[in-house]
Amino acid sequence: MGQDRAAADPFQPARLGPLVLRNRFVKAATFEGMADNGLASERLVGFHRSMAAGGVALTTVAYLAVSADGQGAPGEIVLNPATVPGLATLANAVHDEGALVSGQIGHAGPVAAATGRRGLAPSRTFSPVAMRVTRAASEHDLEQVVQDFATATTILRQAGFDAVEIHMGHGYLLSSFLSPALNRRNDRWGGTVENRARLPRAVAAAVREAAGPDMAVLAKLNMSDGHRTSVTVQDCIEVARLLEHDGCIDAIELTAGSSFSDPMYLMRGAAPVRELAAQFPNPTRAAVRLLGGRFLRTYPFEEGFLSEPAHAVRAGVSLPLVLLGGINHLDTVHSAMRSGFEFVALGRALLHEPGIINRWRSGSTAPGGCTHCNQCMPTIYSGTRCTLVTP
């Protein structure tokens, strides 16, 4: 899986499990904040229709909670039978534009503490955002979580979705079990990498069974949580090999950072502390303005900033991989293809310019116009958008 292999054409069709995608571009999950009373709104449908019309092969609806206690932010959709009609409308709209649609499913775990819930975690852990201690998951809790992921997958299949992405990153529940910093258990769910991967593997197996033969199953997996006691690239490789051995996952999207402890490690660029604080009432607003800089650390932006650790994972596993992280240049896409990545995922670049894939395909090589100001982050409370385009 070394570099400089014969490069695949990113604009040609490619297989993802049982699916054939029209090209190798994926719209990464970026929480839209567009649910209407827990249901898919016309605005959410229009958002993903625009991504499909702009040329992506697969657009990912984010973040769909598998249960009410798995919500990580206000306004998220909790998958249940009532959500099927709206999600079916969304799937049909994407299909009408010639693209396919994936649903990102997850349980927020310790991150849910920020929503006022107790927060479920592998071990009792203090949440600096919620200023409370999370609850350690019991065996019964974990059995229920696995079932909730399977049920969520069935709902997406009923809605006509083509793929499901299991969120195993960003400090959410499955990620927290993989993290040696958050998982301090001494039972079969903790300790070795194999034990810490037990819950993600059980979820992947349940999702694969619920998905049936026609849906693709992806996993979003951390290479690092962003701090020295986090998972390592070698941990990521070992987990990826276990998932590959199980045969339940069709591709892995490589990511980094933690919504529980270090969200800017994924985003990179400016940290919009003041703008995020403005979304909260006092006294929370004042606290966020005063202390937000400790949580929202600033990391310099670099084009393709996750490429280096992702190359190490590419060299260590055979599963198809999706490269994510600051892709704004077509040259970065071609480099990823030469290095053996099967797909690339774009987030902020598509918020700024939904039609960038069509533009690149037409012959233009100008980079995307995202400035990495991250002013899009606070807009999740009113509908995620690029403020450079839609103030």
Side-chain angles (χ1 to χ4, degrees):
M1 296 294 178
Q3 295 185 359
D4 298 324
R5 55 158 47 187
D9 184 341
F11 297 102
Q12 290 300 309
R15 181 165 289 280
L16 173 61
L19 308 176
V20 176
L21 276 59
R22 64 182 177 183
N23 58 48
R24 295 175 182 266
F25 292 94
V26 175
K27 164 65 180 69
T30 49
F31 181 57
E32 306 93 346
M34 297 177 187
D36 184 4
N37 292 319
L39 303 174
S41 64
E42 291 185 9
R43 193 177 178 192
L44 184 64
V45 172
F47 178 88
H48 285 282
R49 181 191 289 275
S50 71
M51 297 298 165
V56 299
L58 182 71
T59 185
T60 310
V61 182
Y63 160 91
L64 302 169
V66 300
S67 61
D69 66 349
Q71 287 183 288
E76 288 175 354
I77 293 175
V78 178
L79 290 170
N80 62 73
T83 63
V84 171
L87 291 172
T89 299
L90 190 156
N92 289 334
V94 169
H95 293 158
D96 287 346
E97 299 295 343
L100 302 180
V101 61
S102 177
Q104 182 190 73
I105 59 174
H107 188 296
V111 178
T115 67
R117 295 174 173 83
R118 179 73 184 275
L120 191 66
S123 311
R124 282 170 52 86
T125 303
F126 178 73
S127 170
V129 177
M131 299 297 290
R132 68 176 66 197
V133 176
T134 63
R135 180 171 66 85
S138 67
E139 289 279 346
H140 175 74
D141 290 327
L142 300 183
E143 291 174 5
Q144 186 62 54
V145 165
V146 172
Q147 181 57 55
D148 288 341
F149 271 91
T151 301
T153 303
T154 298
I155 288 167
L156 289 178
R157 180 164 52 81
Q158 292 171 346
F161 274 51
D162 307 286
V164 59
E165 178 185 283
I166 307 169
H167 207 326
M168 297 184 182
H170 301 175
Y172 295 143
L173 185 62
L174 303 186
S175 175
S176 69
F177 267 81
L178 292 171
S179 168
L182 297 176
N183 186 346
R184 301 182 300 280
R185 300 174 74 111
N186 56 15
D187 59 6
R188 67 191 183 110
W189 305 101
T192 65
V193 172
E194 186 171 0
N195 277 358
R196 285 185 274 126
R198 192 180 303 276
L199 179 61
R201 293 173 73 186
V203 165
V207 166
R208 176 74 275 170
E209 183 176 0
D214 299 325
M215 289 183 77
V217 178
L218 301 90
K220 193 164 193 172
L221 185 64
N222 263 25
M223 297 180 288
S224 171
D225 301 336
H227 50 82
R228 62 183 178 84
T229 58
S230 73
V231 297
T232 65
V233 172
Q234 186 57 42
D235 289 339
C236 178
I237 292 172
E238 290 186 43
V239 174
R241 286 173 175 170
L242 290 169
L243 293 171
E244 184 174 20
H245 172 269
D246 295 342
C248 300
I249 300 295
D250 296 308
I252 292 176
E253 182 175 297
L254 297 170
T255 188
S258 170
S259 296
F260 184 71
S261 61
D262 202 351
M264 294 306 299
Y265 192 77
L266 169 64
M267 299 295 291
R268 309 293 170 97
V273 175
R274 188 175 288 267
E275 292 79 8
L276 276 169
Q279 307 303 314
F280 297 92
N282 278 319
T284 305
R285 178 183 303 175
V288 173
R289 290 182 63 175
L290 179 63
L291 303 174
R294 299 182 184 180
F295 181 67
L296 296 172
R297 303 177 182 91
T298 295
Y299 294 93
F301 177 87
E302 296 178 3
E303 173 73 14
F305 54 79
L306 292 181
S307 295
E308 183 176 348
H311 277 107
V313 179
R314 175 70 290 170
V317 301
S318 299
L319 267 174
L321 297 180
V322 185
L323 180 66
L324 172 71
I327 299 174
N328 295 281
H329 291 254
L330 185 56
D331 284 348
T332 308
V333 176
H334 287 301
S335 177
M337 298 295 104
R338 289 193 301 270
S339 300
F341 294 95
E342 284 76 11
F343 303 95
V344 295
L346 281 66
R348 286 170 292 179
L350 285 165
L351 283 181
H352 180 81
E353 184 185 353
I356 192 172
I357 309 305
N358 283 343
R359 177 168 65 78
W360 281 344
R361 185 174 54 192
S362 71
S364 169
T365 58
C370 174
T371 65
H372 328 298
C373 66
N374 292 322
Q375 293 299 315
C376 53
M377 289 179 64
T379 67
I380 66 170
Y381 298 98
S382 57
T384 304
R385 61 195 181 278
C386 174
T387 59
L388 299 177
V389 177
T390 306

